[in-house]
Amino acid sequence: AMSYAQKLFEGLDLDGKHVALITYIRTDSPEFAPEFLPILEEYVKSQYGKKYYAPIRKVKKGDNVQDGHEAIRPVDLSMTPEWLANFIDDNNLIRVYDIIYKRTVASAMASSITSETTYTIKNDKHLFNLVSKELKFDGYRKAYGSFEEKDEEVTSETFNVGEVLNHKN
């Protein structure tokens, strides 16, 4: 992945112009340049709506963090992974850019909210637990679309206390 990131940093010839797609890659800084933050905020609000935006919290720095460069991010948010796919057909290059792009956007988005209900089902002396999860607000997950790993299958059935459950095939 590092060589793909290097190519994205060095730039590609797109539509007759040489374009750098991401910021400097040899950095361990977790922070974006201050001038990028309002651009990111505006992007999240315009793409997803105000309730999806959450300001990026300051990160406590480690002792030996090299702070000469900001965190890796797309140079220009208008250059989406979908846009890039129009110019190049290297799928791995697009995937690496897609991850960097979506992580950057998600970093300025609100947390997702899930409600969880645990049911204890009794069968003679045996107890079985069933956990039902329901996504109440997708938050940052919206930026990832189908890219993020899915949670285990969510049960939306509800049971009542004392209800007798019959085996179904």
Side-chain angles (χ1 to χ4, degrees):
M2 201 63 179
S3 63
Y4 291 112
Q6 183 69 36
K7 279 184 191 159
L8 292 167
F9 168 68
E10 288 172 359
L12 304 168
D13 291 318
L14 306 174
D15 212 15
K17 288 195 294 273
H18 190 77
V19 180
L21 292 157
I22 61 173
T23 56
Y24 189 64
I25 58 174
R26 285 175 178 77
T27 176
D28 52 8
S29 172
E31 297 185 357
F32 296 128
E35 61 272 17
F36 179 67
L37 297 176
I39 296 166
L40 184 56
E41 176 179 354
E42 183 49 44
Y43 180 85
V44 170
K45 287 177 177 175
S46 67
Q47 292 295 312
Y48 302 103
K50 280 195 172 94
K51 69 179 177 175
Y52 281 92
Y53 173 72
I56 295 175
R57 291 190 291 280
K58 281 276 187 207
V59 180
K60 191 174 175 294
K61 288 185 180 63
D63 292 338
N64 54 1
V65 170
Q66 315 251 302
D67 237 359
H69 298 276
E70 64 176 316
I72 301 167
R73 66 165 174 87
V75 168
D76 181 349
L77 291 173
S78 70
M79 297 190 289
T80 64
E82 297 75 27
W83 171 84
L84 182 61
N86 293 320
F87 302 102
I88 60 170
D89 52 9
D90 184 336
N91 224 9
N92 288 327
L93 201 58
I94 294 168
R95 282 185 57 123
V96 171
Y97 184 69
D98 192 53
I99 291 166
I100 294 168
Y101 192 94
K102 287 175 176 167
R103 281 273 160 132
T104 299
V105 173
S107 70
M109 292 176 74
S111 298
S112 60
I113 301 168
T114 307
S115 80
E116 203 172 273
T117 308
T118 304
Y119 299 98
T120 302
I121 300 163
K122 186 176 166 204
N123 183 346
D124 288 334
K125 296 185 180 90
H126 303 284
L127 295 177
F128 301 92
N129 280 339
L130 172 71
V131 178
S132 170
K133 294 180 180 178
E134 188 186 348
L135 188 63
K136 297 286 189 186
F137 175 62
D138 52 1
Y140 75 92
R141 292 168 175 238
K142 196 172 183 83
Y144 287 112
S146 60
F147 202 75
E148 196 183 45
E149 334 64 78
K150 294 281 179 251
D151 283 343
E152 61 280 3
E153 201 49 50
V154 173
T155 316
S156 59
E157 286 191 55
T158 55
F159 305 106
N160 300 311
V161 175
E163 181 180 348
V164 176
L165 306 177
N166 294 312
H167 174 69
K168 288 184 209 160
N169 284 339

